[in-house]
Amino acid sequence: MPAKNKMKKFQKKETVRFKHVDFAGIVFYPRFLEMLNDLVEDWFGEELDRPFAEIHQTNGIPTVDLKVQFRQPARIGDELSKALWVKNLGSASINCGFEFRKADDSICLDGEVTLVNVGLDKTSEQIKAVAFTDDTRERISGFLIQNS
Amino acid sequence: MPAKNKMKKFQKKETVRFKHVDFAGIVFYPRFLEMLNDLVEDWFGEELDRPFAEIHQTNGIPTVDLKVQFRQPARIGDELSKALWVKNLGSASINCGFEFRKADDSICLDGEVTLVNVGLDKTSEQIKAVAFTDDTRERISGFLIQNS
Amino acid sequence: MPAKNKMKKFQKKETVRFKHVDFAGIVFYPRFLEMLNDLVEDWFGEELDRPFAEIHQTNGIPTVDLKVQFRQPARIGDELSKALWVKNLGSASINCGFEFRKADDSICLDGEVTLVNVGLDKTSEQIKAVAFTDDTRERISGFLIQNS
Amino acid sequence: MPAKNKMKKFQKKETVRFKHVDFAGIVFYPRFLEMLNDLVEDWFGEELDRPFAEIHQTNGIPTVDLKVQFRQPARIGDELSKALWVKNLGSASINCGFEFRKADDSICLDGEVTLVNVGLDKTSEQIKAVAFTDDTRERISGFLIQNS
């Protein structure tokens, strides 16, 4: 399977801050999910040509399914390497794998998240799935890692 | 197994507020997980005799595994009924089912979460799993719903 | 002016939770301001007949000025009594006093906040001050405490 | 007053993200204060040789007084330039000025914040003010702008 060779993941770093940690001094898990949302936002803006600043009026990418394993705690000052890739690409949805690693390359957390491309009608408050454009599909495909 | 008839779930209500929603006017999903954490906190304080205000110096209940399906969006003013129950009780961990329903009883989200009982040593920053006490096990068992 | 005797304050209770506190075990101050925003939201919904769930499409009440003195820390489990009242009522703005007290009635924090009534045009992204209606002015006046 | 010439401010950039904005599409003000706390944290870590990752066990820098004027809203994608400087340096406290500007250099918000240097005793839950060390005073002084 030569196509597998590319194995392109979208990656960003984020340092654990005071605001992320709880009384035990470790990241409070909803803050990890804010970090994950930032990663998706960066991916859409930097790689998929769909910055949230432009799509927010008429579209959204709600999360419909989330699975996470928190493998070890992270503390203030830990520099996390966040990675995201595509496991499955549907007509209007994407299933992504993700993992956050520590400086020693050990996994802090990993999991998968399913996002749906939707159109928003703010007046009627209707939300419905909308197929990705060909351009967006093409860009997303660059991060597809089969059997991941 | 008549004892199973009780099917006791721990339940609380929470109204969606301004701070929970995003630009699309729907709950930003990390805020749903703060609501879930509040539910666990209330359960420990009100039913398990382990208020977080007392255990926080020496113990914690970190989340190690989380699975959520976000079935429909929630908006400002929606009154959510949050429910939590136990699917499996290990010596130092619990696997809980949960669901948030809207006023019309439709499911907003559901999933399962695994919590581990740990002892914290703030000086050494060591965290290790610690078995629940008999009293805590007894109380947790009251919320066990097999095959849920 | 005998009418001023009533000195009506809007009051709500809120218990400090795990999610509010930082590594030092005390409320992280941006969380206090979320609690303040909740208080304003409750006041608008319960007393001013302007629930945020209904006004959010076309109106908003942004905060334009904030002064807070954090007089003592609050910890997990502390039950705070939050109070809000009106110091000045302008045509499209209100200056409110507020204070959070602990169970022993000592002041945790106090300050003042200025809110402006605005109309939002989501398409043009324009925001402009709009005078309060007579009904809203009347209701707000009930919480006016001169020289407070 | 030749000393005024240095006028050194600590500066960082931060882009407004999806998680910061409310239903009106503008930054929810408690999120601005998280951005301010990040700025203080960066200043302590990068310039004062007191990274929060190291001081958090035994010390803290709680905010005791805060004044902010929110002059104009910020939206997703806005790149903010955050600046912090010292207005007054006491033995155990600092009064800092701050401002956030937009890309066109207009002021988004400005204000002042007073921080106190404290020692924490986690066991006794005692918090008391502690004088800054000479080294820290020296470093802080580099950001002092009189009559600012």
Side-chain angles (χ1 to χ4, degrees):
Chain A
M1 270 164 68
K4 270 193 79 174
N5 291 340
K6 52 183 181 172
M7 296 285 286
K8 192 172 155 194
K9 294 181 178 178
F10 178 70
Q11 294 182 299
K12 299 294 277 190
K13 288 191 184 300
E14 181 161 5
T15 300
V16 176
R17 287 175 164 282
F18 187 77
K19 69 181 174 189
H20 296 130
V21 306
D22 63 20
F23 184 79
I26 62 177
V27 177
F28 180 45
Y29 76 90
R31 308 295 168 235
F32 271 137
L33 300 170
E34 294 186 40
M35 292 181 193
L36 175 62
N37 196 73
D38 288 350
L39 182 64
V40 170
E41 184 175 353
D42 287 337
W43 185 47
F44 270 73
E46 297 176 19
E47 297 285 348
L48 306 189
D49 194 27
R50 296 194 59 197
F52 281 15
E54 288 169 23
I55 68 173
H56 68 190
Q57 291 284 7
T58 52
N59 286 86
I61 317 285
T63 295
V64 296
D65 194 279
L66 175 70
K67 293 183 187 71
V68 198
Q69 286 191 282
F70 301 95
R71 298 186 183 278
Q72 59 173 322
R75 297 173 192 285
I76 304 181
D78 281 351
E79 190 177 89
L80 304 176
S81 296
K82 309 187 292 185
L84 185 87
W85 62 94
V86 179
K87 294 164 72 93
N88 271 297
L89 170 54
S91 64
S93 70
I94 343 173
N95 177 245
C96 296
F98 60 85
E99 61 184 20
F100 291 8
R101 287 176 186 268
K102 293 192 165 188
D104 66 2
D105 208 41
S106 63
I107 293 180
C108 180
L109 63 84
D110 56 7
E112 57 183 80
V113 62
T114 304
L115 308 167
V116 176
N117 189 48
V118 302
L120 302 174
D121 181 336
K122 289 229 169 186
T123 313
S124 66
E125 296 204 334
Q126 295 284 23
I127 295 177
K128 65 179 198 336
V130 171
F132 290 114
T133 63
D134 286 348
D135 177 65
T136 302
R137 293 188 68 79
E138 176 70 24
R139 290 172 184 270
I140 292 171
S141 301
F143 294 88
L144 190 60
I145 300 180
Q146 237 96 37
N147 308 121
S148 65
Chain B
M1 272 161 68
K4 295 305 163 211
N5 290 342
K6 53 182 180 172
M7 296 282 287
K8 193 171 153 195
K9 293 181 178 180
F10 178 70
Q11 294 182 299
K12 299 294 276 190
K13 288 192 184 299
E14 180 163 5
T15 300
V16 175
R17 287 173 164 285
F18 187 77
K19 70 181 173 189
H20 296 130
V21 305
D22 62 20
F23 185 79
I26 62 178
V27 176
F28 180 46
Y29 76 90
R31 308 295 169 236
F32 272 136
L33 300 169
E34 293 186 42
M35 293 182 192
L36 175 63
N37 196 72
D38 289 350
L39 182 64
V40 169
E41 183 174 355
D42 287 338
W43 184 48
F44 270 73
E46 297 175 19
E47 297 285 349
L48 306 189
D49 195 28
R50 296 194 59 198
F52 281 16
E54 287 170 24
I55 68 175
H56 67 189
Q57 291 284 9
T58 52
N59 285 86
I61 317 287
T63 295
V64 297
D65 195 280
L66 175 70
K67 293 184 186 71
V68 198
Q69 286 191 280
F70 302 95
R71 298 186 183 278
Q72 57 173 322
R75 297 174 192 285
I76 303 182
D78 281 351
E79 192 177 87
L80 303 176
S81 296
K82 308 185 293 185
L84 185 87
W85 62 94
V86 178
K87 295 163 72 92
N88 271 296
L89 171 53
S91 63
S93 69
I94 342 173
N95 177 246
C96 295
F98 61 85
E99 61 184 19
F100 290 9
R101 288 176 187 267
K102 293 191 164 188
D104 66 2
D105 209 40
S106 63
I107 293 179
C108 179
L109 63 84
D110 56 6
E112 58 184 81
V113 61
T114 304
L115 308 167
V116 176
N117 188 48
V118 302
L120 303 174
D121 181 335
K122 290 230 169 186
T123 313
S124 67
E125 297 204 332
Q126 295 286 20
I127 294 177
K128 67 179 198 332
V130 172
F132 290 113
T133 64
D134 287 347
D135 177 64
T136 302
R137 293 188 67 78
E138 176 70 24
R139 291 171 183 270
I140 293 171
S141 301
F143 294 88
L144 189 60
I145 300 180
Q146 237 95 38
N147 307 121
S148 62
Chain C
M1 269 162 71
K4 297 303 167 210
N5 291 339
K6 54 184 180 173
M7 297 282 288
K8 194 172 154 195
K9 293 182 179 181
F10 178 70
Q11 294 183 299
K12 300 293 278 189
K13 288 192 183 299
E14 180 162 5
T15 301
V16 175
R17 288 174 163 284
F18 187 78
K19 68 181 174 190
H20 296 130
V21 305
D22 62 19
F23 185 78
I26 62 177
V27 176
F28 179 46
Y29 76 91
R31 307 296 168 236
F32 271 136
L33 300 170
E34 294 186 40
M35 292 182 192
L36 174 63
N37 196 72
D38 289 351
L39 183 64
V40 170
E41 183 174 356
D42 287 339
W43 184 49
F44 270 74
E46 296 176 20
E47 297 285 349
L48 307 189
D49 195 28
R50 295 193 59 196
F52 282 14
E54 288 170 24
I55 68 174
H56 66 192
Q57 291 284 9
T58 53
N59 286 87
I61 317 286
T63 294
V64 296
D65 195 279
L66 175 71
K67 293 184 186 69
V68 199
Q69 285 191 279
F70 301 96
R71 297 187 183 279
Q72 58 173 320
R75 297 173 192 285
I76 303 182
D78 281 351
E79 191 177 88
L80 304 176
S81 296
K82 308 186 293 185
L84 185 87
W85 61 94
V86 178
K87 294 163 72 92
N88 272 296
L89 171 54
S91 63
S93 70
I94 343 172
N95 176 245
C96 296
F98 61 84
E99 62 183 20
F100 291 9
R101 286 176 187 267
K102 293 193 166 187
D104 65 2
D105 209 41
S106 63
I107 293 180
C108 180
L109 63 84
D110 56 7
E112 57 182 80
V113 61
T114 305
L115 308 167
V116 176
N117 188 48
V118 302
L120 302 174
D121 181 336
K122 289 230 170 186
T123 313
S124 67
E125 296 203 335
Q126 295 286 21
I127 294 177
K128 68 179 194 337
V130 172
F132 290 114
T133 64
D134 287 347
D135 177 66
T136 302
R137 291 188 68 77
E138 176 71 23
R139 291 170 183 270
I140 292 171
S141 301
F143 294 88
L144 190 60
I145 300 180
Q146 236 95 38
N147 307 122
S148 63
Chain D
M1 269 163 69
K4 268 194 81 175
N5 291 339
K6 53 183 179 171
M7 295 283 287
K8 193 173 155 195
K9 293 182 178 179
F10 178 69
Q11 294 183 299
K12 299 294 278 190
K13 288 190 183 299
E14 179 161 6
T15 300
V16 176
R17 286 175 164 284
F18 187 78
K19 69 180 174 190
H20 296 130
V21 305
D22 63 19
F23 185 79
I26 61 177
V27 176
F28 180 46
Y29 76 90
R31 307 296 167 235
F32 272 135
L33 300 170
E34 293 186 42
M35 292 181 194
L36 175 63
N37 196 73
D38 289 351
L39 182 64
V40 170
E41 183 174 355
D42 287 338
W43 183 49
F44 271 73
E46 297 176 19
E47 297 285 349
L48 307 189
D49 195 27
R50 295 195 57 197
F52 281 15
E54 286 170 24
I55 69 174
H56 67 189
Q57 291 284 9
T58 52
N59 286 87
I61 317 286
T63 295
V64 296
D65 194 280
L66 176 70
K67 293 183 186 71
V68 198
Q69 285 191 282
F70 301 96
R71 299 186 183 277
Q72 58 172 322
R75 298 172 191 286
I76 304 180
D78 281 351
E79 191 177 88
L80 303 176
S81 295
K82 308 187 292 186
L84 185 86
W85 62 95
V86 178
K87 293 162 74 89
N88 271 297
L89 170 55
S91 64
S93 69
I94 343 173
N95 177 244
C96 296
F98 60 85
E99 62 183 19
F100 291 9
R101 289 176 184 267
K102 293 193 165 189
D104 65 2
D105 208 41
S106 62
I107 293 180
C108 179
L109 63 84
D110 55 7
E112 57 182 81
V113 61
T114 304
L115 308 167
V116 176
N117 189 48
V118 301
L120 302 173
D121 181 336
K122 290 229 169 188
T123 313
S124 66
E125 296 203 337
Q126 296 285 23
I127 295 178
K128 65 179 195 340
V130 173
F132 290 114
T133 63
D134 287 346
D135 177 64
T136 302
R137 293 188 67 79
E138 174 72 24
R139 291 170 183 270
I140 292 171
S141 301
F143 295 88
L144 190 59
I145 300 181
Q146 238 95 37
N147 307 121
S148 63

